[in-house]
Structures are given as C-alpha cells and as structure tokens.
Amino acid sequence: MCYAIPAKLVAIDGQTGTIDYFGEKRQILLDLDDVAVGDYVYAQGGVLVRKIPPKEAEEILEHWQTIFFELKKTDAALSKIDQNKLSSNALAVLQKVNLRKSLTPDEMLSLFNLQDEQELKVLYEIANNVRQREHGNSSCIHGVIEFSNYCSNNCHYCGIRKDQELPRYRMSIEEIISAAKEAVDEYGFKALVLQSGEDFWYDDAKLITMVREIRKMGVLVFVSLGLRSKGTYQKLYDAGARAVLLRFETSNKDIFAKLRPGTNLADRVQLIKALKAMGYVLATGFIVGFPGETNNDLIQNILLAKYLAPDMYSFGPLIPASNTPLFGSPKVSKDLILKTIAVMRFIDSNSNILVTTALETLDRNAKQEALLAGANSMMINITPKHYKELYKIYDDKADVTKEIKQSIQETVKMLYELGRAPTDIAAHAVKTRPSGQARG
Ligand code: 5AD
Ligand code: SF4
C-alpha cells in the first residue's frame, strides 16, 4: 500500500463533504455519486476519489491509529523555530510572517538576499513552522507516468525539445492504462499525473479514453500535457480529469519569448486561468535560474504564481540539458530554490508546495530539506523503466535508475522520519463537476 490514510465522511453539503482523519477535518469535493455520511473514502487534492469497504478501511485505520499520533509529535518537534541567530533586519521581516502580515516585494527581496547560514536556517525553520501551522503533518505522494517524449515545441532549455536527437517513444493508450493499473493495484497510488511533451498524436479521443479508464480505477487523474485547446481540457475534465499541472515557466515575458519560440506568456497565463475557472485543481509554477534572471524576476514569478491562485505550486531549478541552447548555463544554487519555497510559503501560507525531481537532481538530499523549508507534497516517477530513461528533459535526472518499489520505500521512509502523515493535503475543493456522471 502506498502512503494514504482512509478518511470517514462525516457531513455532506451539496457537492462538498467533510471528512475526518482521527479527529482532523477537511473539506472535499464529492466527486462520486452514491456516497453517504459514514462511508470510508480516499481523498486526494481535495477530491473524493474512491469509497473503501468498511472492513478494509477499519483494518488500515487500525494500523495507522498509533503511528498517526507519533508522526504528529515528530513533525511538531521538527517545526520549532530558533530565532536567536537572526540579524535584526531579517527578524523584523520574519516577525511579520509570524504575525500573518503580508510581505512587500522589498521585504521578499531582503529574504532572497540572506546569505548567512544561520539566518537561512531560521528562514527555512519559519517556513516549515508556517507549513505545520497551516497543514499539520499532512503530505501526499502522486505517481507520475511520462507517457511520451515527443514534443512539437523547441524550448531552449528542454532536453526533449523537437530538435533534440534522442530515441523517442510513445506509450499506447493500453500501455498507459496498464501502467496506471499497476500503480494503483500493486503500489496503491491514489493520484496519478499523466505527463508528456506536447504530442498531438494523442488526439482528444485517445486522451479521453485514457482519462476515463484511469478515473475508473478510483484515483485523482492529474494531467500535464502542455498547451492544448480549452476545448480539449474541458473534454478531459468531463471525462474525469480533476487536476492539471501547467507551469508558466517565467513571468519575464522577454525571457519567455526568447526561450519558448513561437509561444508567448500571455496565452499561457490565459490558459492557466481558464483551467482554474473550469474547476481543475491547479498546479502551476516556474523554473528558477534562467540566464539573465534577477532576484527581482523571481519575486515577480512568485507574485504571478500567487495571482493565479493555484492549489499547488511546482517550481524547480533549471538543470541545463546537453545539446540544448542553454547547456553550460551556471548551476542554480540549492538555497535559491529553498528560499523560493520558503518565501512562497510566507506569501501564500495555506498553499501546497511540491518537491520536484529537478530539485532532487540538483542535490540528492534536497528533497528532505525542501520538505523542511515549507514544501508538503511529492511526486514519484512510476514510468516504466525502459521509457523513464528516455524522458530526459534534463541530464542525470534523479530516480531514473531506481525501481518503483525502491522509490516508494525511500520516500515513505523519509516522510516517516519527518513525521508526515498521508492525510489529504486539502487543496481547495473544486467547485463543480458535470452533473449526472457517476464516477469510479
Ligand atoms: N531544467 C528544469 N526543468 C525543466 N523543464 C523542462 N526542461 C527543464 C530543464 N532543463 C520543466 C519545465 C516543464 C516541466 C515538465 O519540466 O518547467 O514545464
Ligand atoms: Fe516541450 Fe515542455 Fe520541453 Fe517545452 S518544456 S520542449 S513544451 S516538453
């Protein structure tokens, strides 16, 4: 079983339900017909994904009963703050965070300018403390299936851009469904991200079949397909996709235009807004460390991300990919990403923040550090191994040589050590769902 705790549905109000994890309550979208108060369910990203037979749920809950409270203690102990070593300037800014006041761009900049190791330590501790205050110890793990490395775009930073010479693959719809089935039945995933380059070989009909069949497995279907028409995204929503990942990459429109030939920032932002309006649980974010980017750009990135009001943020460092125009760009420092996570946590305290594979690729220990600097969510790559190696958006991608089981074991162990429990991370519940469509 992968990392997830069953919840009990304790109240229903229209399409919104209240669930309970050992006394902790969350609001979710009731994305299934035929649920009643008293049912046991799995929720992911604020969406009810599956009912669980009572006997099975009670057995699993019995296993978690003691562990859950022990994890909470560990998390609380790791979320303490030691402010002794702070300069008075940084302290004043961080006091504002503690008082739940919003930060000005200049104050955010002053946090990005911190260099002293002790001060950075406190910065991350406070971000972790805010994460704990807002979310308790809940965390979630999504599985990612990278189903095609074809892309019709030529982004200067990306290792699977159209002009890149590399062996290409496309998983058939049957292969994708069977990889999803294995992820659900064998490894226990409750949320699956279906990711690819912008590959129009997968037309609406193929994508709809894929989404519909995977939704029937009782999981949150999360799509990450790049620029597609609003019409396509609407059809996928109607087929049961409930979450979408689409980064805006950078808020600097000149950098955007230069690095993403043939596309522009305004269109991308507009699509992201439209996806949110459709009711998708939205994950967005940006890449940190493009050449020419300043700390001020980073702050603008953070502000644009917040303006888009996503349910989840995803950002990672640029990892220069061989044979791409950006190969040879300077390595991004781990602290720059940790600062980004921490500041994002301050300015949108209730958000969910993902730890990304790019960060893990930059530094194999960074996953844990990110979770202690404000992040609360993770993804595990569950692409079949022979394809995973070919989804080379950047070099030396973390995890490609690992078996899925090993990645899960390592992640669960780390989350245990950090005192994180797999209760739903409570994204803002989606507002609507197509009426009359039974799911699961
Ligand atoms: N380094 C880091 N992230 C990258 N992506 C693409 N290329 C790189 C790279 N070289 C990210 C983009 C894209 C996501 C799927 O991968 O942000 O949205
Ligand atoms: Fe394609 Fe995305 Fe890579 Fe750009 S970043 S080339 S859109 S996979």
Side-chain angles (χ1 to χ4, degrees):
M1 187 198 65
C2 197
Y3 214 49
I5 297 184
K8 192 167 196 170
L9 187 59
V10 292
I12 294 181
D13 178 9
Q15 288 187 3
T16 305
T18 305
I19 53 169
D20 178 290
Y21 295 103
F22 300 112
E24 278 183 18
K25 305 275 193 295
R26 305 266 194 285
Q27 301 290 103
I28 55 164
L29 174 81
L30 297 177
D31 197 33
L32 278 183
D33 293 326
D34 189 27
V35 279
V37 168
D39 283 347
Y40 288 102
V41 299
Y42 282 123
Q44 289 283 303
V47 179
L48 190 159
V49 295
R50 192 191 310 172
K51 267 202 326 191
I52 319 164
K55 196 165 171 296
E56 183 185 328
E58 277 154 18
E59 274 170 26
I60 301 173
L61 284 170
E62 201 182 314
H63 161 82
W64 280 104
Q65 179 89 43
T66 328
I67 303 171
F68 178 75
F69 293 100
E70 278 166 10
L71 289 172
K72 281 180 89 70
K73 268 193 235 155
T74 308
D75 179 44
L78 289 171
S79 305
K80 297 228 168 77
I81 308 171
D82 173 8
Q83 295 193 351
N84 292 335
K85 293 272 168 48
L86 272 187
S87 71
S88 53
N89 184 24
L91 188 59
V93 174
L94 292 170
Q95 290 297 15
K96 279 186 80 174
V97 171
N98 279 340
L99 294 171
R100 303 177 189 223
K101 292 192 175 152
S102 52
L103 301 183
T104 64
D106 277 349
E107 287 167 339
M108 289 159 65
L109 200 57
S110 74
L111 296 178
F112 272 99
N113 287 336
L114 291 179
Q115 297 296 341
D116 179 80
E117 230 175 81
Q118 281 303 326
E119 292 188 340
L120 287 176
K121 192 166 167 276
V122 182
L123 172 74
Y124 305 148
E125 278 175 6
I126 295 183
N128 187 37
N129 184 269
V130 175
R131 187 268 318 150
Q132 204 254 355
R133 180 188 83 199
E134 296 292 327
H135 287 287
N137 67 337
S138 60
S139 68
C140 73
I141 311 176
H142 298 167
V144 188
I145 301 175
E146 299 160 333
F147 62 86
S148 162
N149 71 351
Y150 280 85
C151 188
S152 52
N153 279 344
N154 240 336
C155 304
H156 285 199
Y157 46 90
C158 179
I160 63 168
R161 64 201 296 267
K162 188 168 71 183
D163 286 354
Q164 189 82 336
E165 281 183 26
L166 86 161
R168 302 280 174 173
Y169 71 90
R170 272 185 186 120
M171 289 170 67
S172 69
I173 299 301
E174 292 71 31
E175 267 181 301
I176 300 169
I177 292 170
S178 105
K181 195 155 173 38
E182 186 178 335
V184 175
D185 291 350
E186 219 162 288
Y187 304 119
F189 282 94
K190 311 290 183 297
L192 294 179
V193 185
L194 305 169
Q195 185 167 59
S196 67
E198 277 174 30
D199 182 358
F200 291 87
W201 181 84
Y202 297 90
D203 57 14
D204 288 359
K206 289 192 180 84
L207 293 176
I208 287 169
T209 308
M210 168 178 101
V211 166
R212 187 173 288 140
E213 292 307 309
I214 297 176
R215 178 65 186 97
K216 280 188 199 156
M217 297 172 197
V219 290
L220 179 74
V221 179
F222 211 129
V223 289
S224 173
L225 311 167
L227 275 188
R228 295 271 176 161
S229 71
K230 285 181 206 164
T232 296
Y233 275 113
Q234 183 63 61
K235 286 180 199 160
L236 297 181
Y237 188 90
D238 295 345
R242 286 290 174 273
V244 65
L245 170 60
L246 188 66
R247 290 173 165 179
F248 56 84
E249 310 288 46
T250 171
S251 64
N252 181 317
K253 66 178 185 341
D254 299 329
I255 296 181
F256 190 104
K258 189 166 157 215
L259 298 184
R260 299 185 54 92
T263 67
N264 70 72
L265 179 61
D267 287 350
R268 197 161 176 100
V269 165
Q270 216 219 2
L271 178 61
I272 295 171
K273 283 184 181 168
L275 296 172
K276 168 101 190 161
M278 266 177 223
Y280 274 104
V281 170
L282 174 67
T284 191
F286 48 88
I287 290 187
V288 176
F290 282 135
E293 187 177 79
T294 61
N295 277 355
N296 200 38
D297 286 321
L298 264 182
I299 293 190
Q300 294 310 316
N301 285 349
I302 289 176
L303 292 173
L304 175 57
K306 176 160 188 219
Y307 163 77
L308 293 168
D311 304 285
M312 193 178 282
Y313 294 103
S314 161
F315 22 71
L318 172 75
I319 312 276
S322 301
N323 302 320
T324 60
L326 291 198
F327 188 58
S329 302
K331 193 173 171 199
V332 178
S333 87
K334 178 175 67 181
D335 277 316
L336 194 60
I337 306 293
L338 297 179
K339 285 176 187 175
T340 307
I341 292 174
V343 173
M344 195 81 243
R345 172 62 64 204
F346 296 154
I347 73 146
D348 190 0
S349 53
N350 187 240
S351 60
N352 293 297
I353 302 178
L354 259 173
V355 180
T356 56
T357 314
L359 176 57
E360 198 188 344
T361 303
L362 184 74
D363 180 317
R364 296 295 196 258
N365 296 322
K367 247 198 300 202
Q368 176 149 350
E369 291 173 72
L371 287 165
L372 290 171
N376 65 333
S377 174
M378 320 243 342
M379 293 203 179
I380 292 182
N381 193 334
I382 52 166
T383 310
K385 205 159 165 238
H386 49 294
Y387 293 133
K388 187 153 73 167
E389 287 158 13
L390 301 176
Y391 200 85
K392 277 189 170 178
I393 44 181
Y394 38 77
D395 298 349
D396 303 321
K397 205 162 150 225
D399 250 17
V400 283
T401 53
K402 279 185 203 158
E403 297 294 339
I404 297 172
K405 269 195 193 124
Q406 192 192 346
S407 299
I408 296 173
Q409 275 165 7
E410 286 176 12
T411 306
V412 169
K413 180 168 173 281
M414 180 187 64
L415 290 171
Y416 261 81
E417 282 165 4
L418 296 181
R420 305 295 167 91
T423 48
D424 188 32
I425 53 166
H428 313 287
V430 263
K431 289 175 275 318
T432 54
R433 72 179 172 97
S435 56
Q437 292 185 27
R439 308 262 172 247

